Amino acid sequence: MPALAQFLHELDAVEHAALAALAAAADAHALEAARVQFLGARSGRLKELQQALAQLARDEKPAAGKRFNEVKARVEEALAAARQRVEQQKSATTHEAAFDPTLPGRRPRLGHLHPITRTIDELKDIMGRLGFSVADGPEVEDEWHNFEALNIPPAHPARDPLENFYLAAAVAARPDRAASPLLLRSQTSTVQIRVMERTPPPVRIISVGRVYRPDTADATHYPMFHQMEGLWVDRHVTMADLKSVLRLFAACYFGGEGHIRFRPSFFPFTEPSVEVDMAWNQGWIEMGGAGMVDPHVLAAVGYDPEEYTGFAFGLGVERLCMRRYQVEDIREFYKNDVRFLRKF
Ligand code: FA5
């Protein structure tokens, strides 16, 4: 057979085979194999024919080249069409597999508030109903508000640097306070002072927030925890009011079984002072401290102790939440273990 006839014959055969292979390709894999076989840049069948084209006689080349180009274009078009078909088939099958209307729906996992945040909201709500408004104070405090105004003199053991988180850097950053180092507040009683300094009596507030102490963490202690401070100063406020408010609070927060008891105690800023326990697990756990605001404290903020009396209390928020939900270990709140947090 003359060389041109032989070339055109092979070209026809390759075209036929390529179109058939592309039409039969069922997936991207088969398609790629067909592409390499016929259009491959190094050893594809059309590449081989292109090399054969170069060997033809000069006068045969124009016709052979034109036919070669037609075949190559047709095969490339067929490849593009086959790609589209395979792509469509793939997305149709994935869709079908992903959507099975008989399967139970997947419930999206919803986040919710941390149990301590929820407890704080609830405490504010209960105390709001008892007539207490909410006040706030800073977590970084000076010694006046954390100690001095609360009747805790410089030599008092509660001011020991080992019992507190003093901030060396913050002191240096505030030369005007050189004589008064700053610390992370160790109790929310600081807010009593701040509120009384700026508000003439009567006051009836609570303040809930974080406090910090270098306590070793155990089942009932954590170095950072929350307190709810309460303060009511007015004419004729008595210890009986303090006990009634705390009993009412316990009844609201714990329901019927909110038994609390008062034990005589001592705080430098209240006189008399009590510790308040709540019943738990056939025993008692300390819930907070309380007492009648010491006349020295009233005087330190400019209130007349002859005219006004008041009570204050400071309760451990984590302990309240533990008692309410039977959480046996305070550390659970701060492990960020979603298996625990999801229970609330
Ligand atoms: C005080 O902090 C006083 N400011 C309370 C007070 C306020 C008395 C107003 C009088 C008038 P105390 O150190 O006992 O008191 O702490 C109060 C409560 O905080 C404790 O009863 C306990 O429930 C909680 N608490 C104390 N330390 C920790 C701790 N490390 N981790 C978790 N809770 C704690």
Side-chain angles (χ1 to χ4, degrees), residues 63-264:
K66 184 165 177 271
R67 176 78 186 115
F68 176 84
N69 287 338
E70 281 169 11
V71 169
K72 193 173 176 208
R74 204 164 302 152
V75 173
E76 280 170 349
E77 265 168 40
L79 173 67
R83 269 196 183 133
Q84 208 174 352
R85 169 178 54 78
V86 166
E87 206 46 53
Q88 274 167 2
Q89 275 168 358
K90 189 177 151 205
S91 65
T93 43
T94 353
H95 219 81
E96 268 164 33
F99 183 69
D100 177 351
T102 63
L103 285 176
R106 258 184 238 147
R107 197 181 287 275
R109 196 177 281 171
L110 295 181
H112 59 70
L113 293 178
H114 189 278
I116 295 298
T117 311
R118 286 171 53 169
T119 303
I120 291 172
D121 289 347
E122 200 173 339
L123 300 183
K124 288 178 178 170
D125 186 52
I126 293 171
M127 295 309 292
R129 281 186 267 137
L130 295 178
F132 288 75
S133 53
V134 176
D136 263 327
E139 288 178 26
V140 174
E141 265 298 3
D142 51 40
E143 290 194 305
W144 167 257
H145 292 96
N146 202 81
F147 299 124
E148 228 122 292
L150 286 164
N151 216 17
I152 306 176
H156 197 280
R159 292 176 69 155
D160 190 323
L162 295 175
E163 301 292 325
N164 296 284
F165 288 113
Y166 277 93
L167 304 179
V171 177
R174 297 188 58 180
D176 59 312
R177 286 279 168 90
S180 173
L182 299 178
L183 72 159
L184 295 180
R185 69 180 177 190
S186 59
Q187 49 184 345
T188 43
S189 299
T190 53
V191 186
Q192 292 181 31
I193 304 299
R194 289 189 173 273
V195 169
M196 288 192 284
E197 277 174 340
R198 62 174 184 247
T199 325
V203 293
R204 199 188 326 180
I205 58 102
I206 55 153
S207 183
V208 194
R210 293 189 196 98
V211 300
Y212 304 84
R213 294 178 190 180
D215 287 352
T216 306
D218 62 20
T220 51
H221 293 84
Y222 209 69
M224 183 286 301
F225 60 101
H226 294 74
Q227 285 188 336
M228 173 169 76
E229 192 78 10
L231 173 72
W232 186 351
V233 180
D234 203 344
R235 291 187 181 93
H236 315 302
V237 175
T238 67
M239 193 79 183
D241 297 316
L242 167 63
K243 293 176 80 173
S244 305
V245 165
L246 287 177
R247 283 197 196 288
L248 260 175
F249 162 76
C252 291
Y253 185 65
F254 296 117
E257 19 90 70
H259 301 303
I260 60 171
R261 72 173 184 190
F262 298 88
R263 279 182 293 119

